[in-house]
Amino acid sequence: MHLTASAVSHHVRKLESRLGLSLFQRLARGVALTDQGRQLADAAGTALADMDGVLRSLRLAREERDRVRITTLHSLAYTWLLPRLGGFTRAHPHIQLRVDTEIALTRFDDSGPDLGVRHGAGHWPGLTAHHLMDDALFPVASPAFPGVDQVTEPAQIAELPLIADQARQGWHDWFRAADVHGRKLEERYIFSNTTDAMMAAAQGIGVALAREQIVVPYLRSGQLIRLPGPAMPARWGYYAIYPSHRRLRPAAQAFLDWLLAVDKR
């Protein structure tokens, strides 16, 4: 309270004079509360505790108001979201972000995320979906992969070790789009995560079928190069999703607005 003992005594005497009551018994070795002083102390303690609880609740509500929890795929977070996220944090430095990367579609219950960014057809029961961007698939390999400089047509790729992930479109679809038929395809290395498939290709163990939105950093850094053949349009795109029954809080709405406006290139 930043008060000396004598100042506290002065305020106590002033309060006793105002109330016309004795709140303390002055003893030889200190003081003790009178019955009236105990009643007032109990009431004051309860009131202060109530105020502290309300202030704590208000503080937590303010912090929650400025917090956004996002769920997305690890591959998209690593190669697309993180390189752009600085633009959002500079525009909204007060907003706290939590980014969860999961394969499964998260449940949007009261303790769940505010927003999700997912790859799919754009229709999820009970969720509002905003289209962010489309995608395409094409083959890539490390420039150090043996013989990669001699690959001049899609049919030659079928003879190389193929790297696959567990996406719903894969090598069979791409070779069909490239008009390559009658070849026995061997998906020699299969990964559950697209990021792992890209890293495997960058390490030179085979050829991967890359997603256009995921592979950009690898192409820019020279870790991977594009091989001959078409860019096959993906059947599914990327969408920002959230529960249809729940209105977004201002911080989550700000993040959604940024997602819709950010440069997708």
Side-chain angles (χ1 to χ4, degrees):
M1 294 176 64
H2 305 289
L3 293 175
T4 64
S6 61
V8 171
S9 296
H10 172 74
H11 282 290
V12 169
R13 286 194 297 270
K14 188 176 180 180
L15 178 60
E16 288 179 321
S17 176
R18 182 175 179 180
L19 295 175
L21 296 172
S22 293
L23 302 177
F24 289 92
Q25 292 177 334
R26 276 72 178 179
L27 306 175
R29 296 184 178 181
V31 295
L33 286 169
T34 63
D35 290 341
Q36 294 90 343
R38 172 55 60 191
Q39 294 178 43
L40 183 58
D42 290 344
T46 300
L48 289 172
D50 290 344
M51 288 180 61
D52 183 66
V54 171
L55 290 172
R56 189 186 304 273
S57 177
L58 292 174
R59 183 167 58 251
L60 291 175
R62 182 192 63 195
E63 292 174 355
E64 184 65 25
R65 181 190 64 202
D66 294 335
R67 183 182 295 120
V68 182
R69 180 178 170 189
I70 305 134
T71 176
T72 187
L73 301 171
H74 178 266
S75 56
L76 191 68
Y78 179 70
T79 60
W80 186 88
L81 180 60
L82 290 180
R84 294 166 171 79
L85 198 56
F88 177 80
T89 60
R90 286 189 292 272
H92 304 278
H94 65 287
I95 293 180
Q96 301 176 25
L97 293 178
R98 172 175 170 175
V99 180
D100 297 328
T101 54
E102 301 170 295
I103 296 175
L105 186 62
T106 303
R107 292 181 61 183
F108 287 89
D109 53 25
D110 291 340
S111 61
D114 299 287
L115 284 167
V117 180
R118 279 293 185 266
H119 186 253
H123 304 289
W124 291 273
L127 298 177
T128 296
H130 294 270
H131 179 261
L132 296 179
M133 54 194 173
D134 293 317
D135 211 353
L137 296 92
F138 50 80
V140 296
S142 166
F145 184 79
V148 72
D149 55 339
Q150 299 174 16
V151 177
T152 59
E153 58 184 34
Q156 293 174 281
I157 299 174
E159 308 300 324
L160 302 176
L162 301 180
I163 299 172
D165 57 22
Q166 295 182 341
R168 287 168 286 185
Q169 277 180 285
W171 280 113
H172 288 82
D173 301 285
W174 185 83
F175 279 111
R176 191 179 304 114
D179 201 26
V180 176
H181 305 281
R183 300 295 184 95
K184 183 179 180 180
L185 304 179
E186 180 187 0
E187 294 181 344
R188 192 173 301 178
Y189 310 107
I190 302 175
F191 296 88
S192 62
N193 189 288
T194 302
T195 300
D196 294 337
M198 293 298 98
M199 290 300 298
Q203 294 300 317
I205 72 168
V207 180
L209 189 61
R211 295 191 176 279
E212 182 179 27
Q213 302 296 347
I214 302 299
V215 76
V216 170
Y218 298 94
L219 297 175
R220 287 177 177 170
S221 68
Q223 291 177 277
L224 295 172
I225 58 173
R226 181 173 171 177
L227 300 185
M232 178 182 68
R235 297 192 191 108
W236 299 278
Y238 292 95
Y239 294 82
I241 58 176
Y242 58 90
S244 301
H245 69 275
R246 194 166 72 199
R247 183 178 180 181
L248 290 177
R249 292 179 290 107
Q253 184 64 55
F255 192 82
L256 174 61
D257 293 342
W258 174 78
L259 278 176
L260 295 174
V262 70
D263 188 354
K264 308 297 192 300
R265 294 173 295 177

